[in-house]
Amino acid sequence: MKKLLLLLLLLGTLSATAQLNDTFADGNFTQNPAWTGDAAAFQVNAALQLQTNGAATTGTELQLITPCAAATGTTWEFWANLKLATSSGNYADVWLMADQPDLKASGTKGYFVRLGGTPDEVALFRKDATGSPVYVVNGQDATLSSTNNNLVRVRVTRSVQNVWTLERDLTGNATYVSEGSATDATHQRSGYVGVYATYSAANNRAFYFDDFRVTDATAPLLMQAVATAPRQLTLTFNEAVAATQSAASYRLSTGNPAVTAAARDAADFTLVHLTLAADLPLGSLTVEVRNVTDAFGNVAAGTLTATLQNNGFAVPPGLNQLLITEIMADETPVMGLPTSEFVEIHNPSATAVIDLGGVRLLKPGNTGNPAVFPSGAVLLPGEYAVVCGSTRTAQFAAFGKVFGLTNFPSLSNAADQLVLRGKDGRVLFEVSYADTWYKDNRKKEGGWTLEMLDTANPCAGIENWTASTDASGGTPDRSNSVRATNPDRTAPALLRALALNATTVRLYFGEKLDSVAVANAALYTLAPAATILRAVPVGPDFRLVDLTLAAPLVQNQPFTLTAQRALDCVGNASGPATSATFALPAPVAVGDVVINEILFNPRMGGVDFVEILNRSGKFLDVQGWQLGNEKPDSSVDTEPVSSGPVLLPPGGLLALTTRPDIVQQQYPTSTESAHLLQLPALPTFPDDAGSVVLFDAQGRRLDRFVYSDKQHLKLLDNVEGVSLERIRATGPSEAGNFHSAASSVGYATPGRPNSQQQPDVTGTGVLMLEPEIFTPDDDGQQDFTTLDYQLDGPGYAGSVTIYDAQGRLARRLVRNETLAAKGFWQWDGLTDRGQKASVGYYVLHIELFRPSSGQKREYRKTVVVGARQ
C-alpha cells in the first residue's frame, strides 16, 4: 500500500500542492501533522496504519482531528478498512471539512464521508448547526457488506463551482468508481479534517485508516466586493488567501481612488480589507485583483474582477432625517391607487444614504410587535418609498421602491398616531393625523391620501398637511402633489403646567420641541423659589417636559413656572420667558365643579361637548372623574374624563369632547384650544332632552343638569350647533340658570367664558332687576333680564306675571314656585305665545306668599324691552 501511495504522488499534477499528507510512515500521529482528540484511544500499528484502540464498551465514540483550511477547488483522499460488520452502531465518519475541533458536538458544521451505517454504504453528508446530517451524494447500499474486511479507498473532489464528486475503489487501489455528483455551496469555510468512529464492545480495534491527502490545486476566485465605509472595501474570496497581502495587487478600474493598504481579516481568511486614499465615488464600480495567492500557494492567473454598486455609505437616521410624507388611511372608494393602506417615507437629505435596518414603524400604545425594516434596507438621498403590509408589496411594485413589512399597523380613518423609531429606540419622526387635515369633506371620506406640504417643516401638524390633489388620489414614491414652501415661524407656547405628584411638574407646550435644548434644567424657574433637579422631554412627540423638584410641593399652594427660551424642533425660540401657574391639587368637594355649557345637538359633521367650571378656590385634578348620561330609568352611562392627571385651576374651564379639532373647526373664533380635553368617548346625549351628570374619582356626584331643546331661545329658527350656557356660576344647575349661547360668538364658547354669563348680585334688598333695559336679539349683549330675590328665609312660594304698558298680560313667567332663600328668574323677552315682546315698557308683578304664616307680599318692577338700531 505504501508503494502504491508513492506511485500516486509521482503521478500527481506537478503544480498541485498537498495541504495535508499523512501516511503515518513516521510511526506516530502526533506530529507532521499533529492529530488531537481521543489520542489515547488510537495507535499507529506495525503496518504503519492509524488504528482504533479504545475501550471495549458498546456505544464508544472516538475522534481525531488535524487543522486544514482547504474548502473549494479541493481533492480529499484516504484509505480505510473496517474489519467488522457495519451497522447503525458500527460505522466511521471521515470529516473533510469541519468548522470546529469537536466532531462529536451537535453544532459542528461541515461535510463528511460515512463508511457503513445501516445501509452499509459509502456516502457524502452535510452537517448543519442544527438537525441531522443530510445527504449530498447518497452512495449505493451494501457497498461495505463484509463481516470482517470492508476495504475501500475514497476520493472526493469539490470544484470551484461547488460540484461535489464522490468516488471509491473497494480494492483499496486507485481504480475509482463514481458514487455520484451533486452541487452544494452551503459551507464555504473549513478549519479541520478528522476521523470519527463509533462501535460496539467487540469492535474496539476494528477501524483502520491510512494515506490521508488533501490537495488544493486551484487558484482563488474573487466572489464579491462590498463598500463597508466611505474609504473601505471588503473583498470576499472563495477560499483562504495568503496572510501577507500587497496593496499593489488591488485597484479600482478607474484608477482612483488608489488602494493604500490591503490586509487579510484576522478571523476569516477568505476576506481582504482594502483602505482607499479618498471616498469612493457613487455609482457602479469595478475592483481588479492581480497575482493574488491562496493560503496554499496557488496564484490566480490574469485579472480577477468584482462589480459593486456604491449608493453611498448608509448611516442610521437621526431625528427628522427620515420622514413620513404621505398617509393612505382610508383606501376606499378607489380613485386610482391600490386598495391598500400605506405610508410613504422620504429621505430629505441631498447627500446621505439612510440605513433603514432595524427602524421600527409603530403606533404608540399598541401591544403587538412593531413593523421592522430588514437589515440592508436603505433610502437614497432624496428618495421616496412606499411602506405597506407584507402581503401588499406586489400592488405597489409599479410605483418604485416598496417595503412590505410584517406587522404593518392598521391605520384609523378618523385619527391616529404613527412613530418611526431607530433600532436604538430613539424617536426619528412622529405624526398625529386626523381626517380634519384633509380640509375637504369629500376627500376625507376615502380614496385620497394626506400629503405633507413642506418637508423642511416636519414637526408641524394640520397646517402642513392636506389632501392630495393628484387625480389618482395620491403620489406614492414621488414628490407630493401639494408640495410647497410652508415654513414654521411660530414660537412654542407654554400652554399649562401640572403637578403629577409632589415632586414632578409636567409642562405642556403647543408644538413639538427640540428635545435636546429643552432638557436643560437651568431654563426653568419657580416662584416661590424651588430647586429643579432635572428636565426630561417626554416622547414620542416631545410636546411635554417633566421637571423633577428637590423638595415636595405643598397642596394647593400656587406656583408660577417660567420657561426661558424654549425651542421648537425647527429652532424657533419662545423669547425671554413664557409662564404658567399650577399647584399640587387639593381634594374636590361636591359643588366645587359644575356643568357650565353643553352642546347636545351639534351641526352636521359636528360633535357634542360638555364644559365644566371650577367655581372653587382650589386647584383640582380631574383624573378618574366620570361624565355620564342619566337615562329615564335612572341608570347612568358613564365615560372616563381622563385616565391621566389634568389640572383644573380656580375659575378654570374644561370642554370635554371626542374631537377637539372638529369643535375648534366649527367654532374658530370662540374656542380656547388649551381648554379642550379630548376623551376617547362621550356618553350619548340625545338631541331633544337628557340629563348630564359629573362624578369624581370616588363616584360622588359633583353636579347634574337636566337639559332640553325647549330651554333654547324661542326666537332661534334652528338650534343645531347652539349650546346652552350657564348664566351664573354660583346659581343652581337648573333650566332657569341656562340660556342659548349668543349668535355673536357663533352660538357656543367651548373653553371660554360664556357669552351669556352674569356676575352674582351682591346688593341688598328683596328684589333687584338687572338690566332694566334689554334687547332680546341673541347678540350676547343684554339678551335677557334677571330678577334676583333675597328673602328673609325659606318657605316662600312665588309668582311673576308680566304686563305691557297698557296692562295687557304678556307672560306668566312663574306660577307658585317654591323658592329658596336666594335666587333669580330670567325673562328672555318672549310672550306666552312664544313671540318677541314689542318694544316698550313692561311691569313685572311679583307675589310672594308664605303658607306657614299666611304672609303675602306684592312688588312691581319696571323693565324696558328695547331694540338695537
Side-chain angles (χ1 to χ4, degrees):
M1 182 178 65
K2 300 296 181 184
K3 292 181 179 178
L4 175 61
L5 178 60
L6 178 60
L7 178 61
L8 291 173
L9 293 176
L10 292 174
L11 295 175
T13 304
L14 293 177
S15 62
T17 303
Q19 311 316 319
L20 174 68
N21 187 2
D22 201 348
T23 65
F24 306 103
D26 55 4
N28 67 74
F29 59 82
T30 59
Q31 54 187 347
N32 299 321
W35 297 73
T36 58
D38 298 318
F42 285 88
Q43 65 179 14
V44 175
N45 60 23
L48 300 180
Q49 299 164 344
L50 182 66
Q51 180 183 2
T52 57
N53 188 28
T57 303
T58 297
T60 298
E61 298 177 79
L62 303 178
Q63 67 171 341
L64 281 181
I65 56 95
T66 190
C68 184
T72 62
T74 301
T75 299
W76 294 266
E77 299 170 86
F78 63 89
W79 175 96
N81 193 356
L82 276 57
K83 295 185 179 183
L84 50 81
T86 65
S87 66
S88 60
N90 291 276
Y91 63 88
D93 291 340
V94 179
W95 282 75
L96 314 178
M97 294 172 56
D99 71 327
Q100 58 182 322
D102 187 358
L103 308 181
K104 302 175 187 178
S106 60
T108 299
K109 304 188 295 291
Y111 300 90
F112 61 82
V113 175
R114 175 158 293 176
L115 305 176
T118 300
D120 300 328
E121 65 183 350
V122 177
L124 177 63
F125 283 86
R126 185 187 78 239
K127 176 65 174 65
D128 300 324
T130 59
S132 301
V134 295
Y135 280 110
V136 177
V137 177
N138 187 356
Q140 182 178 341
D141 291 355
T143 301
L144 306 180
S145 57
S146 172
T147 60
N148 58 13
N149 188 41
N150 291 296
L151 178 64
V152 65
R153 183 179 293 276
V154 176
R155 180 169 70 187
V156 179
T157 59
R158 182 185 189 181
S159 72
V160 293
Q161 290 77 32
N162 297 300
V163 177
W164 294 82
T165 301
L166 173 63
E167 300 172 291
R168 47 82 175 169
D169 183 347
L170 298 182
T171 68
N173 294 305
T175 306
Y176 290 109
V177 174
S178 175
E179 289 281 5
S181 297
T183 300
D184 191 301
T186 305
H187 303 306
Q188 294 289 326
R189 296 172 181 83
S190 177
Y192 306 91
V193 298
V195 295
Y196 163 91
T198 184
Y199 55 78
S200 56
N203 298 318
N204 65 314
R205 294 171 54 84
F207 295 82
Y208 299 80
F209 304 96
D210 204 350
D211 299 346
F212 287 94
R213 180 178 174 85
V214 180
T215 304
D216 179 352
T218 60
L221 297 177
L222 179 59
M223 308 304 293
Q224 68 172 357
V226 176
T228 55
R231 299 188 181 190
Q232 187 81 46
L233 287 174
T234 295
L235 309 187
T236 303
F237 292 88
N238 70 322
E239 60 176 322
V241 296
T244 301
Q245 296 292 316
S246 170
S249 296
Y250 302 91
R251 70 185 297 272
L252 295 178
S253 59
T254 58
N256 289 305
V259 176
T260 59
R264 189 178 73 173
D265 189 87
D268 186 346
F269 295 166
T270 66
L271 303 181
V272 174
H273 303 297
L274 305 182
T275 302
L276 307 175
D279 288 355
L280 283 164
L282 298 177
S284 180
L285 303 172
T286 300
V287 180
E288 298 177 349
V289 181
R290 294 177 177 83
N291 301 319
V292 66
T293 305
D294 66 15
F296 316 114
N298 299 302
V299 181
T303 302
L304 306 179
T305 62
T307 300
L308 69 150
Q309 182 68 30
N310 179 32
N311 294 321
F313 185 60
V315 296
L319 180 65
N320 294 325
Q321 292 176 344
L322 177 64
L323 309 178
I324 294 174
T325 50
E326 190 168 3
I327 301 168
M328 174 64 90
D330 187 357
E331 67 273 28
T332 57
V334 174
M335 296 295 113
L337 298 178
T339 313
S340 176
E341 295 179 349
F342 73 89
V343 298
E344 176 189 77
I345 59 173
H346 174 55
N347 175 4
S349 172
T351 57
V353 177
I354 295 299
D355 179 7
L356 296 176
V359 170
R360 290 170 283 171
L361 171 65
L362 53 89
K363 297 202 301 185
N366 274 20
T367 57
N369 293 325
V372 182
F373 287 83
S375 177
V378 298
L379 206 57
L380 302 181
E383 190 175 27
Y384 296 85
V386 168
V387 183
C388 59
S390 57
T391 61
R392 305 300 180 94
T393 308
Q395 293 180 307
F396 294 97
F399 292 93
K401 182 172 283 189
V402 184
F403 295 103
L405 304 183
T406 303
N407 301 319
F408 180 82
S410 176
L411 307 181
S412 170
N413 295 348
D416 223 330
Q417 183 181 29
L418 294 172
V419 176
L420 290 170
R421 287 189 183 274
K423 59 183 177 182
D424 59 358
R426 291 184 301 167
V427 173
L428 305 176
F429 179 80
E430 180 274 342
V431 59
S432 296
Y433 68 86
D435 57 13
T436 53
W437 289 19
Y438 285 95
K439 309 177 183 76
D440 186 311
N441 289 332
R442 178 179 64 89
K443 290 183 178 180
K444 81 172 185 177
E445 294 304 316
W448 299 84
T449 66
L450 284 171
E451 293 184 346
M452 181 186 286
L453 276 72
D454 189 350
T455 57
N457 185 13
C459 304
I462 187 172
E463 63 274 14
N464 198 41
W465 288 76
T466 193
S468 175
T469 59
D470 191 88
S472 68
T475 55
D477 264 329
R478 55 192 173 94
S479 296
N480 290 342
S481 60
V482 300
R483 189 168 187 175
T485 300
N486 184 37
D488 175 9
R489 296 190 175 94
T490 303
L494 176 61
L495 303 180
R496 56 195 173 101
L498 172 67
L500 299 182
N501 53 55
T503 57
T504 306
V505 178
R506 173 163 288 180
L507 311 183
Y508 296 77
F509 287 86
E511 60 178 310
K512 297 179 184 180
L513 303 172
D514 182 325
S515 59
V516 176
V518 299
N520 181 5
L523 293 176
Y524 310 96
T525 57
L526 284 170
T531 302
I532 300 172
L533 297 178
R534 56 183 172 272
V536 179
V538 181
D541 60 354
F542 299 116
R543 295 173 183 263
L544 312 177
V545 179
D546 283 350
L547 306 180
T548 301
L549 308 183
L553 298 169
V554 176
Q555 196 174 80
N556 212 44
Q557 178 186 354
F559 281 84
T560 299
L561 184 288
T562 301
Q564 304 286 341
R565 290 189 58 80
L567 292 178
D568 66 17
C569 79
V570 294
N572 295 312
S574 62
T578 180
S579 62
T581 301
F582 72 97
L584 185 65
V588 66
V590 174
D592 284 348
V593 178
V594 293
I595 295 158
N596 195 55
E597 185 177 1
I598 178 171
L599 177 67
F600 53 87
N601 185 11
R603 300 167 185 160
M604 181 70 67
V607 292
D608 294 352
F609 72 79
V610 175
E611 181 185 80
I612 60 176
L613 165 68
N614 179 5
R615 61 183 187 181
S616 77
K618 297 183 289 188
F619 289 83
L620 304 173
D621 183 1
V622 305
Q623 183 175 10
W625 292 12
Q626 301 279 323
L627 187 67
N629 169 38
E630 185 175 327
K631 297 181 179 179
D633 63 1
S634 297
S635 64
V636 181
D637 288 338
T638 61
E639 295 291 347
V641 171
S642 177
S643 59
V646 175
L647 189 67
L648 188 58
L653 297 168
L654 278 179
L656 315 176
T657 181
T658 57
R659 293 295 299 273
D661 53 339
I662 292 178
V663 172
Q664 195 165 10
Q665 183 185 61
Q666 294 203 341
Y667 302 97
T669 62
S670 60
T671 300
E672 181 56 63
S673 60
H675 298 156
L676 301 182
L677 182 62
Q678 183 170 6
L679 276 61
L682 273 184
T684 300
F685 295 115
D687 290 348
D688 54 351
S691 178
V692 57
V693 191
L694 181 67
F695 300 94
D696 69 5
Q698 285 70 48
R700 294 179 301 168
R701 192 174 80 182
L702 300 177
D703 195 24
R704 175 177 178 266
F705 173 56
V706 179
Y707 67 85
S708 168
D709 58 2
K710 302 291 191 299
Q711 297 166 11
H712 277 299
L713 182 64
K714 302 299 188 295
L715 296 177
L716 296 175
D717 295 329
N718 183 1
V719 295
E720 287 188 356
V722 181
S723 72
L724 285 175
E725 293 182 333
R726 191 181 200 91
I727 297 173
R728 295 189 181 172
T730 58
S733 294
E734 297 174 353
N737 195 27
F738 281 79
H739 192 281
S740 301
S743 61
S744 60
V745 295
Y747 296 106
T749 55
R752 286 190 177 182
N754 291 344
S755 62
Q756 303 290 14
Q757 72 176 359
Q758 287 186 348
D760 294 318
V761 175
T762 58
T764 60
V766 175
L767 297 168
M768 296 184 62
L769 191 65
E770 178 65 31
E772 296 181 351
I773 301 175
F774 74 105
T775 54
D777 54 9
D778 198 40
D779 66 351
Q781 300 181 48
Q782 291 88 42
D783 286 331
F784 53 90
T785 188
T786 54
L787 180 63
D788 288 85
Y789 59 85
Q790 178 76 49
L791 307 178
D792 55 7
Y796 284 92
S799 297
V800 180
T801 308
I802 304 173
Y803 301 92
D804 65 12
Q806 285 74 42
R808 293 173 296 193
L809 176 66
R811 177 81 176 268
R812 291 182 176 89
L813 188 64
V814 179
R815 301 298 293 172
N816 296 320
E817 180 179 297
T818 300
L819 306 180
K822 179 180 179 181
F824 73 93
W825 299 289
Q826 63 156 302
W827 182 36
D828 56 10
L830 299 185
T831 68
D832 280 341
R833 296 182 178 182
Q835 298 173 338
K836 183 178 178 180
S838 300
V839 172
Y841 287 91
Y842 289 82
V843 176
L844 279 68
H845 179 217
I846 304 102
E847 298 173 278
L848 301 178
F849 176 69
R850 201 169 200 173
S852 62
S853 63
Q855 181 184 5
K856 183 176 180 180
R857 302 178 184 177
E858 293 187 49
Y859 303 89
R860 286 175 173 80
K861 291 286 184 180
T862 302
V863 69
V864 176
V865 174
R868 297 189 185 279
Q869 298 298 323

